[in-house]
Amino acid sequence: MPTVDVTSTPLTASARLRAALRLTRWMAAHGSDAAHVAVAFRTVEPMAYFCGGVPLTSYQDGADEGPAARWASVVCHIHPGRDHAYRAELAEEIRQALGLEESAHLTVRFEPTQPDRVFYLESGSMTSGGPAPAGRGATKGLEHAHH
């Protein structure tokens, strides 16, 4: 279950929807189940994000939503088997999806996450992408193990 957590300047609802759809489609094209791609957006309060000791959010930030982020910090939880090329391509896709210009501040951090460490609700019960204990549907959830 790949997850993308975006922290940025305020984005309009349509900009968030556009970015989420674009990232979901990209991940689905690269082998993930689109139904399990999660994208979350968080807007920071003024004077809450600093780089090199300099605030990237000012006292005036927070009220105006825009169609593109001015800066972003992103954390992606992905399968540990994803290689450097995948991560580099996804980082660029995130930059484009958020509308960040070449001079903007953007960091994308990848957190490899074993599928058996992610649980999700399916058909009324919690399941994970890892192998089930012997005798309890040992193959259930394996279809998500590489996504």
Side-chain angles (χ1 to χ4, degrees), residues 107-142:
T107 58
V108 179
R109 186 176 77 232
F110 292 96
E111 296 289 335
T113 305
Q114 292 290 344
D116 66 347
R117 303 230 175 198
V118 178
F119 286 80
Y120 51 92
L121 185 61
E122 182 175 75
S123 301
S125 63
M126 295 303 294
T127 187
S128 76
R136 299 202 63 206
T139 60
K140 181 163 177 59
L142 287 180

Side-chain angles (χ1 to χ4, degrees), residues 11-130:
L11 294 169
T12 62
S14 61
R16 291 188 304 265
L17 177 60
R18 236 183 347 269
L21 287 173
R22 181 174 176 158
L23 294 174
T24 298
R25 288 177 182 143
W26 187 93
M27 289 184 173
H30 289 81
S32 293
D33 181 344
H36 290 136
V37 175
V39 181
F41 295 89
R42 291 172 186 78
T43 301
V44 298
E45 64 183 67
M47 300 298 290
Y49 190 89
F50 297 78
C51 184
V54 177
L56 294 182
T57 54
S58 68
Y59 286 115
Q60 295 83 20
D61 283 342
D64 298 327
E65 290 188 338
R70 291 194 318 273
W71 62 265
S73 176
V74 180
V75 178
C76 300
H77 297 273
I78 59 171
H79 190 278
R82 296 295 191 174
D83 64 11
H84 179 79
Y86 175 92
R87 293 187 307 269
E89 290 175 28
L90 179 52
E92 177 60 25
E93 191 67 18
I94 289 167
R95 183 188 73 78
Q96 291 179 21
L98 295 175
L100 288 162
E101 299 297 325
E102 292 178 14
S103 62
H105 174 82
L106 172 64
T107 58
V108 179
R109 186 176 77 232
F110 292 96
E111 296 289 335
T113 305
Q114 292 290 344
D116 66 347
R117 303 230 175 198
V118 178
F119 286 80
Y120 51 92
L121 185 61
E122 182 175 75
S123 301
S125 63
M126 295 303 294
T127 187
S128 76

